[in-house]
Amino acid sequence: MTAAKPVSKPAEIRKSPSSQGLEGALDRLQALRTNLPPTAARIADFFISHASEVVHMSVTEVAERTGASEGSVISLCQQLGARGFQQVKIALARDLVQPVQFIHEDLARSDDTGTVIEKIFRSDLQALHDTMKVLDTGAMEAAVAAILKARRVELYGIGSAAPIAEDANYRLLRIGVEAKVVVDSHVQAISASLTGPDVAVITISHSGSTHETVTATKLAKEAGATTICITNFGKSPLLAYADIVLHTMARETQFRTEAMTSRIAQLAIIDALIACLSLADYDKALATIGKTFDVLSTKRY
């Protein structure tokens, strides 16, 4: 019997730029700049000369500032070896800020526990105060009317927005609104395409640039659903598919992919929305709250 040939060890795989986190993003841009066509070169120049602004901007805002399309901005990011614009923002931030700022923009490495608590709470309080100022009363009234008119409500959120969507779903059920939360991107796309004029969709996305939720919202709008978006103030791809926008104003740690401060503002908007819905359909909400309270009381000692 012939002996089995030994399995050769694979050659060491060199990590791609994306897996290395795109270290030295500004240097990469400088090196790439000379061989770029005019539009891409203009975007690269903007990245290089306005890097500190770019880390706080959406892809839509960069496209407008450079007179280019969102697709052109994303294409340049991919030429750098990134998956998309968000990864380039994080890479630029690494070139500009201290590592501790990836935890929270206001922190210093030497902060003690008391200082950390004070800074985080002040940041959250500021987000609530700023959100209250930009939240449009008319938009909230329109959202209430759309939800009350709808046969059911669907809620979409990905990543850190998913637990916010799940909380909103729970709160809607407690006041008698038929609701369904979808936090899987594939199921979002399927479910959104199967909505219609009798469905209201609530999409939660701080950046308004998350591909999965933008796609789901687009599909829902194309199917005829009323789309309600909870997103941070500013221009983003999500707004193109939003019938009603409820803005937060959170000075988010833009260098992270996870939202922190923005969650507080999103929850506050959900609280206000639920309260307005309850008052708009007072008798039904009160009866349902009472019924569900009795059901939940069996879960407690």
Side-chain angles (χ1 to χ4, degrees), residues 44-55 57 65 92 96:
D45 288 341
F46 184 79
F47 278 179
I48 293 166
S49 59
H50 298 84
S52 60
E53 294 179 53
V54 171
V55 297
M57 296 172 72
R65 289 282 296 275
L92 289 173
L96 298 173

Side-chain angles (χ1 to χ4, degrees), residues 246-275:
L246 302 175
H247 278 125
T248 58
M249 179 64 90
R251 191 175 63 84
E252 187 56 77
T253 305
Q254 297 283 353
F255 317 132
R256 294 169 57 93
T257 55
E258 305 91 353
M260 293 179 68
T261 305
S262 63
R263 293 177 300 172
I264 303 296
Q266 290 164 354
L267 285 169
I269 286 181
I270 296 298
D271 282 347
L273 178 61
I274 295 299

Side-chain angles (χ1 to χ4, degrees), residues 13-61:
I13 299 174
R14 187 165 63 90
K15 291 182 178 180
S16 66
S18 60
S19 64
Q20 293 178 6
L22 289 176
E23 287 90 346
L26 287 171
D27 291 337
R28 290 173 185 267
L29 281 164
Q30 293 278 14
L32 191 65
R33 165 69 178 80
T34 54
N35 297 317
L36 292 174
T39 299
R42 191 164 64 248
I43 299 167
D45 288 341
F46 184 79
F47 278 179
I48 293 166
S49 59
H50 298 84
S52 60
E53 294 179 53
V54 171
V55 297
H56 292 283
M57 296 172 72
S58 69
V59 65
T60 306
E61 290 169 329

Side-chain angles (χ1 to χ4, degrees), residues 35-208:
N35 297 317
L36 292 174
T39 299
R42 191 164 64 248
I43 299 167
D45 288 341
F46 184 79
F47 278 179
I48 293 166
S49 59
H50 298 84
S52 60
E53 294 179 53
V54 171
V55 297
H56 292 283
M57 296 172 72
S58 69
V59 65
T60 306
E61 290 169 329
V62 170
E64 288 192 355
R65 289 282 296 275
T66 57
S69 67
E70 293 173 7
S72 295
V73 176
I74 294 169
S75 177
L76 175 62
C77 296
Q78 291 171 341
Q79 288 184 62
L80 284 174
R83 290 183 298 275
F85 177 64
Q86 181 65 27
Q87 192 177 12
V88 170
K89 288 207 307 182
I90 295 171
L92 289 173
R94 286 197 178 99
D95 288 350
L96 298 173
V97 306
Q98 301 175 34
V100 69
Q101 291 181 283
F102 284 89
I103 300 172
H104 196 281
E105 286 178 352
D106 295 332
L107 295 181
R109 182 72 184 272
S110 59
D111 286 344
D112 58 22
T113 302
T115 303
V116 170
I117 292 171
E118 181 179 355
K119 285 184 175 181
I120 297 298
F121 271 68
R122 285 188 182 278
S123 179
D124 289 346
L125 288 168
Q126 188 66 48
L128 289 173
H129 183 262
D130 292 343
T131 296
M132 185 174 65
K133 289 193 293 185
V134 301
L135 185 58
D136 186 87
T137 302
M140 180 65 78
E141 291 172 346
V144 169
I147 292 170
L148 292 177
K149 180 182 177 182
R151 180 174 58 85
R152 77 170 189 276
V153 176
E154 292 196 3
L155 300 108
Y156 306 146
I158 291 288
S160 58
I164 309 299
E166 289 172 336
D167 179 74
N169 179 67
Y170 174 80
R171 303 287 300 283
L172 287 169
L173 291 173
R174 286 296 310 272
I175 63 171
V177 175
E178 184 178 341
K180 178 178 75 171
V181 61
V182 187
V183 295
D184 177 271
S185 62
H186 289 217
V187 181
Q188 276 183 7
I190 295 169
S191 190
S193 68
L194 298 175
T195 59
D198 59 347
V199 178
V201 165
I202 301 176
T203 300
I204 302 168
S205 173
H206 170 73
S207 68

